[in-house]
Amino acid sequence: MIRTATPADIPVVHEMIRDLAEYEKALHEVRATPEHLREALFGEHPAAFAHIAETDTGEVAGFALWFLNFSTWRGVHGIYLEDLYVRPELRGGGHGKALLAELARICVERGYERLEWSVLNWNAPSIAFYESLGAGAQDEWTVYRLTDDALKRLGTGAGAGAGSGAEEGAGA
């Protein structure tokens, strides 16, 4: 039911990424191409990994795309689950749970101590599913993100001037 993705899976993974983005009302933000995925998953220096859930008939039901993170407090790697998606018509068949169980198995086998992901606050069905597995929300943390122009400004020094009103803080 669960297997490691292969280069032949790139088109269907790309399609499901777009389906997920549409569900999350953010299709306009998808810039990834099949070529991006091929390089990230199967290039000379893979930066991400993917697993595929299949039905008994071999139909692709969903995928999990993940990468390694690192906990300075625990001193070991963990897995950050970037995307978990099961096709709507195949939900309820255990595919999402099986994908998460495979990632948990990898964590246990390799000595990783965390399996983490983010979920949109409005996505009540997913939140209920994750909580049913024993996952807990980390609501004392707020995710910050730099993208597009803000990232370019900071990365080129254009946004790092004195007097910005921001102080370097603990935990950054």
Side-chain angles (χ1 to χ4, degrees), residues 111-132:
Y112 302 163
E113 295 190 14
R114 289 183 179 169
L115 172 54
E116 297 179 312
W117 61 92
S118 297
V119 61
L120 291 166
N121 293 335
W122 57 260
N123 193 343
S126 292
I127 292 168
F129 168 64
Y130 298 142
E131 289 177 350
S132 77

Side-chain angles (χ1 to χ4, degrees), residues 89-154:
E89 66 274 14
L90 297 172
R91 291 181 187 154
H95 304 293
K97 183 176 181 180
L99 285 163
L100 284 170
E102 176 61 11
L103 298 186
R105 185 196 65 75
I106 291 169
C107 286
V108 170
E109 177 181 275
R110 297 180 186 178
Y112 302 163
E113 295 190 14
R114 289 183 179 169
L115 172 54
E116 297 179 312
W117 61 92
S118 297
V119 61
L120 291 166
N121 293 335
W122 57 260
N123 193 343
S126 292
I127 292 168
F129 168 64
Y130 298 142
E131 289 177 350
S132 77
L133 299 175
Q138 300 296 301
D139 53 8
E140 67 272 13
W141 294 91
T142 300
V143 175
Y144 281 83
R145 180 179 294 158
L146 279 171
T147 61
D148 303 324
D149 291 339
L151 178 64
K152 289 175 189 167
R153 279 193 306 274
L154 185 59

Side-chain angles (χ1 to χ4, degrees), residues 80-96:
Y80 186 84
L81 174 60
E82 180 65 22
D83 284 333
L84 175 70
Y85 181 76
V86 175
R87 295 179 189 269
E89 66 274 14
L90 297 172
R91 291 181 187 154
H95 304 293

Side-chain angles (χ1 to χ4, degrees), residues 4-143:
T4 302
T6 68
D9 294 312
I10 294 293
V12 72
V13 169
H14 185 257
E15 175 188 328
M16 288 187 292
I17 288 170
R18 294 183 57 81
D19 291 346
L20 174 59
E22 185 171 22
Y23 172 75
E24 292 182 347
K25 302 170 180 64
L27 182 57
H28 63 281
E29 294 182 33
V30 175
R31 296 180 188 168
T33 65
E35 292 74 29
H36 289 128
L37 294 175
R38 187 173 317 286
E39 181 62 27
L41 296 169
F42 304 107
E44 187 175 335
H45 301 288
F49 308 92
H51 284 80
I52 301 293
E54 290 183 336
T55 66
D56 294 338
T57 63
E59 177 185 1
V60 173
F63 78 103
L65 194 142
W66 57 278
F67 54 89
L68 294 179
N69 60 14
F70 185 81
S71 170
T72 56
W73 290 10
R74 294 188 176 221
V76 296
H77 280 293
I79 287 178
Y80 186 84
L81 174 60
E82 180 65 22
D83 284 333
L84 175 70
Y85 181 76
V86 175
R87 295 179 189 269
E89 66 274 14
L90 297 172
R91 291 181 187 154
H95 304 293
K97 183 176 181 180
L99 285 163
L100 284 170
E102 176 61 11
L103 298 186
R105 185 196 65 75
I106 291 169
C107 286
V108 170
E109 177 181 275
R110 297 180 186 178
Y112 302 163
E113 295 190 14
R114 289 183 179 169
L115 172 54
E116 297 179 312
W117 61 92
S118 297
V119 61
L120 291 166
N121 293 335
W122 57 260
N123 193 343
S126 292
I127 292 168
F129 168 64
Y130 298 142
E131 289 177 350
S132 77
L133 299 175
Q138 300 296 301
D139 53 8
E140 67 272 13
W141 294 91
T142 300
V143 175

